[in-house]
């Protein structure tokens, strides 16, 4: 199939699987836990620092100048998100400087992404799929913030962070159209996207089972 046909098919498959993350029925905690905006923002700090670092690692290891520049934009965006979330935590009475987002080590999804070596796999897993997951999770988090009356955090995500994540996803689409032009490249991209979605689902289930955490923004 053409790269355009492939990207459309991959997007449809991703969206079908992402719907499993969206309904509230899948987000009910299995055990009780401190579910509030500050604690969820601490989870977001880890997601943002991991997103910053994986994009930075890929930036320095690719020879594709256009992709390098796109990753540089993403590094800056994710780092800015981290700072904005840290500032919001400060406004909520939490000193983000004492939060160690990587105190428990890198997560399984980061470790998987770090094993990818080809640009088509990286784009499929990172920008195209991981950022699509982030869009879903951020939308859930915005709705949660609205329900608990935190209009400021909801606005931060809706007006600043969410548009950036959508842009990163569209960057993934752009590069997949250029890179996923052969059966081998398309197979590699599909496998990377499926593994990314599977890991995201596993991480959500673990968060629910161990901490009662749901609606955490990002991925």
């Amino acid at each position: 199939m053409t790269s355009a046909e492939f990207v459309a098919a991959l997007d449809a498959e991703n969206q079908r699987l992402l719907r499993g993350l969206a309904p509230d029925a899948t987000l009910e905690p299995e055990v009780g836990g401190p579910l509030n905006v500050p604690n969820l923002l601490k989870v977001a700090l880890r997601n943002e620092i991991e997103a910053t670092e994986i994009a930075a690692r890929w930036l320095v290891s690719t020879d594709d100048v256009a992709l390098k520049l796109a990753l540089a934009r993403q590094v800056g965006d994710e780092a800015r998100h981290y700072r904005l979330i840290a500032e919001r935590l400060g406004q909520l009475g939490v000193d983000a400087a004492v939060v160690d987002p990587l105190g428990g080590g890198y997560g399984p999804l980061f470790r998987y992404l770090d094993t990818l070596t080809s640009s088509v796999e990286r784009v499929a897993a990172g920008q195209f799929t991981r950022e699509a997951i982030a869009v879903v999770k951020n939308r859930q988090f915005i709705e949660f913030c609205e329900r608990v009356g935190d209009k400021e955090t909801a606005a931060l995500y809706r007006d600043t962070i969410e548009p950036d994540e959508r842009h990163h996803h569209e960057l993934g689409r752009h590069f997949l159209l250029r890179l996923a032009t052969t059966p081998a490249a398309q197979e590699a991209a599909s496998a990377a996207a499926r593994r990314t979605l599977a890991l995201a689902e596993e991480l959500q289930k673990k968060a629910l089972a161990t901490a009662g955490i749901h609606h955490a923004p990002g991925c």
Side-chain angles (χ1 to χ4, degrees):
M1 66 179 76
T2 67
S3 62
E5 291 170 336
F6 168 74
V7 172
L10 183 62
D11 191 28
E13 180 182 0
N14 278 1
Q15 293 304 317
R16 178 179 62 82
L17 295 172
L18 281 170
R19 282 194 288 273
L21 296 178
D24 280 344
T26 70
L27 298 174
E28 292 298 325
E30 296 177 11
V31 297
L35 184 62
N36 54 51
V37 171
N39 284 343
L40 293 174
L41 287 177
K42 291 177 187 177
V43 176
L45 287 180
R46 173 175 178 154
N47 293 333
E48 297 293 350
I49 201 67
E50 288 192 344
T52 301
E53 185 165 342
I54 197 64
R57 291 189 184 193
W58 289 350
L59 183 158
V60 299
S61 61
T62 182
D63 295 325
D64 185 326
V65 174
L67 182 55
K68 191 183 289 287
L69 292 174
L71 288 166
R73 155 73 191 265
Q74 186 175 356
V75 169
D77 289 344
E78 307 292 9
R80 181 167 60 95
H81 297 168
Y82 187 100
R83 290 193 297 271
L84 290 170
I85 293 166
E87 290 174 5
R88 182 60 189 147
L89 277 168
Q91 294 165 0
L92 293 170
V94 178
D95 183 3
V98 303
V99 177
D100 182 0
L102 295 176
Y106 294 103
L109 181 54
F110 178 95
R111 294 197 300 272
Y112 168 68
L113 295 174
D114 199 34
T115 68
L116 300 178
T117 57
S118 73
S119 291
V120 73
E121 290 175 301
R122 290 172 170 180
V123 167
Q127 282 70 35
F128 194 70
T129 302
R130 187 179 191 270
E131 296 298 315
I133 297 168
V135 167
V136 171
K137 301 297 287 182
N138 288 343
R139 185 166 61 247
Q140 294 170 344
F141 181 59
I142 291 167
E143 292 171 357
F144 174 80
C145 290
E146 295 281 3
R147 286 203 296 269
V148 300
D150 189 338
K151 306 296 186 183
E152 292 82 1
T153 303
L156 169 62
Y157 269 81
R158 183 179 55 250
D159 301 336
T160 302
I161 295 177
E162 179 79 357
D164 285 344
E165 306 297 15
R166 290 186 181 278
H167 176 73
H168 302 158
H169 172 68
E170 289 305 315
L171 281 176
R173 184 187 306 277
H174 168 78
F175 282 101
L176 274 182
L177 287 170
R178 178 158 70 82
L179 297 169
T181 57
T182 67
Q186 292 171 6
E187 182 178 353
S190 291
R194 284 194 298 269
R195 183 59 180 151
T196 299
L197 282 164
L199 282 168
E201 184 178 14
E202 290 172 16
L203 289 171
Q204 176 166 290
K205 289 179 179 177
K206 181 178 180 181
L208 286 170
T210 61
I213 291 176
H214 55 84
H215 295 84
C219 174

